[in-house]
């Protein structure tokens, strides 16, 4: 049974399959197209011979896959991936999975059409002191950006976490992924995640199981947590008032890992939640439970 398909069909609608003539028992399933900035699921299934060194390649990055399950001799791998609207334009892009089977190297390739998607815009008024960082904060901001990027590029073997993800806080969205953001009238880029309404001190739950790879108190993000969910997926929680976990800690989906707040550059208390595959931020909303 395809547990991902039955759990969240919207992410893998219009499934297509590709098989390598040399490895006819290995099948890759992925959608023929996806909206720019939207997540989708890629799955690999092999009947009989076991695969090793399985890697998924997409948009110039790769992720290490580990078996999701094995039933009746069928081995399954999967990953939640996506594209960052800031980094790609519409067009056809190759997705490939490489592996070793019986001492031989194999590869399956598939083409995914990334289609345009319209995102909204918003205007925010921010304390000028936080809009333009003071010169003395430059070194700190650069160091934090480097640490955050390293965390986002974590590449540990794994598979797609159980779907749908746990909603980190019960509040509705106050700002969605992809919004063009204007701070004090000036364009400052697009929103790389989703903001959920949350009063200060609201318990923040882990959206998916994983390992904490970084915590910090950053100039922009405030108190924040990066979680490696495996297979190239990293989730990010920020503007927290309290962090309840430590780097290296293994956490379960639904576990309270923090309290919401208004730390960093914010206009008020809320939770900013992001999801990225190998550093490519995409819309996390389709992954979350209602």
């Amino acid at each position: 049974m395809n547990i991902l398909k039955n759990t969240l069909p919207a992410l893998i609608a219009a499934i297509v399959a590709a098989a390598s003539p040399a490895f006819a028992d290995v099948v890759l399933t992925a959608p023929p197209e996806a909206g720019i900035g939207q997540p989708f699921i890629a799955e690999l299934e092999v009947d009989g011979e076991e695969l090793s060194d399985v890697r998924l390649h997409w948009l110039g990055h790769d992720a290490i896959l580990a078996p999701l399950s094995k039933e009746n001799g069928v081995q399954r791998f999967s990953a939640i991936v996506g594209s960052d609207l800031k980094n790609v334009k519409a067009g056809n892009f190759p997705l490939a999975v490489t592996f070793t089977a019986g001492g031989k190297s194999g590869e399956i390739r598939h083409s995914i059409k990334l289609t345009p998607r319209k995102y909204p815009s918003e205007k925010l008024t921010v304390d000028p002191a936080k809009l333009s960082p003071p010169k003395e904060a430059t070194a700190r901001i650069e160091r934090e950006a480097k640490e955050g990027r390293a965390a986002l590029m974590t590449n540990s073997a794994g598979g797609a976490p159980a779907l749908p993800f746990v909603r980190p806080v019960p509040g509705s969205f106050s700002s969605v992924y992809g919004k063009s953001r204007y701070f004090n009238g000036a364009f400052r880029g697009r929103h790389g995640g989703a903001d959920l309404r949350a009063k200060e001190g609201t318990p923040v739950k882990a959206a998916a199981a994983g390992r904490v790879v970084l915590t910090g108190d950053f100039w922009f993000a405030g108190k924040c947590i990066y979680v490696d969910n495996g297979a190239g997926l990293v989730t990010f929680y920020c503007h927290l008032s309290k962090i309840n976990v430590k780097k290296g800690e293994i956490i379960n989906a639904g576990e309270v890992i923090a309290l919401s707040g208004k730390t960093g550059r914010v206009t008020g208390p809320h939770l900013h939640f992001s999801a990225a595959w190998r550093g490519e931020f995409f819309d996390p909303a389709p992954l979350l439970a209602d």
Side-chain angles (χ1 to χ4, degrees):
M1 177 184 293
N2 185 326
I3 61 174
L4 294 175
K5 182 177 181 180
N6 289 344
T7 305
L8 204 63
L11 294 185
I12 52 173
I15 286 290
V16 297
S20 166
F23 299 94
D25 55 351
V26 182
V27 177
L28 169 67
T29 59
E33 65 178 55
I36 293 175
Q38 297 299 299
F40 62 88
I41 294 171
E43 291 184 282
L44 191 73
E45 183 176 289
V46 55
D47 188 355
E49 192 166 28
E50 290 195 3
L51 305 184
S52 61
D53 192 24
V54 181
R55 290 176 179 264
L56 185 147
H57 307 265
W58 170 247
L59 298 179
H61 306 293
D62 71 277
I64 305 169
L65 305 187
L68 180 71
S69 65
K70 185 176 181 180
E71 298 177 6
N72 301 320
V74 178
Q75 196 177 27
R76 294 184 176 88
F77 301 80
S78 68
I80 296 174
V81 297
S83 58
D84 193 324
L85 79 156
K86 294 182 290 187
N87 298 335
V88 298
K89 295 182 179 180
N92 294 308
F93 294 84
L95 181 147
V97 176
T98 57
F99 54 86
T100 299
K104 297 181 179 180
S105 297
E107 179 181 28
I108 295 180
R109 297 179 66 85
H110 171 58
S111 179
I112 294 180
K113 181 180 180 180
L114 291 180
T115 58
R117 188 180 180 92
K118 188 175 182 179
Y119 293 94
S121 63
E122 68 177 347
K123 298 179 181 179
L124 300 172
T125 300
V126 179
D127 181 350
K130 289 197 172 185
L131 181 61
S132 300
K135 291 183 179 180
E136 57 267 26
T138 300
R140 173 190 171 184
I141 292 171
E142 290 178 349
R143 181 184 70 253
E144 292 169 352
K146 184 177 180 179
E147 292 175 355
R149 184 65 182 175
L152 289 170
M153 296 305 290
T154 302
N155 191 9
S156 64
L163 294 171
F165 285 1
V166 173
R167 199 175 183 88
V169 293
S172 59
F173 294 109
S174 58
S175 182
V176 299
Y177 171 87
K179 272 190 176 181
S180 296
R181 313 196 79 177
Y182 294 83
F183 289 97
N184 301 348
F187 178 69
R188 293 281 176 162
R190 290 182 176 270
H191 197 205
D195 291 343
L196 293 96
R197 292 181 174 86
K199 294 180 180 179
E200 190 166 8
T202 300
V204 176
K205 297 179 180 180
R211 179 175 61 91
V212 178
V213 289
L214 178 66
T215 66
D217 189 352
F218 291 177
W219 197 91
F220 281 107
K223 289 186 169 82
C224 56
I225 301 172
Y226 292 77
V227 179
D228 168 28
N229 304 107
L233 180 68
V234 173
T235 44
F236 174 50
Y237 311 74
C238 66
H239 306 311
L240 308 168
S241 62
K242 182 181 179 181
I243 295 173
N244 295 339
V245 293
K246 297 180 180 180
K247 181 178 179 180
E249 189 171 338
I250 303 299
I251 59 175
N252 298 314
E255 181 179 340
V256 175
I257 58 174
L259 299 179
S260 64
K262 55 181 180 180
T263 56
R265 189 177 73 174
V266 293
T267 56
H270 69 277
L271 174 70
H272 174 95
F273 176 70
S274 291
W277 182 83
R278 302 293 284 132
E280 299 285 333
F281 285 96
F282 52 79
D283 187 0
L287 303 174
L288 298 178
D290 294 334

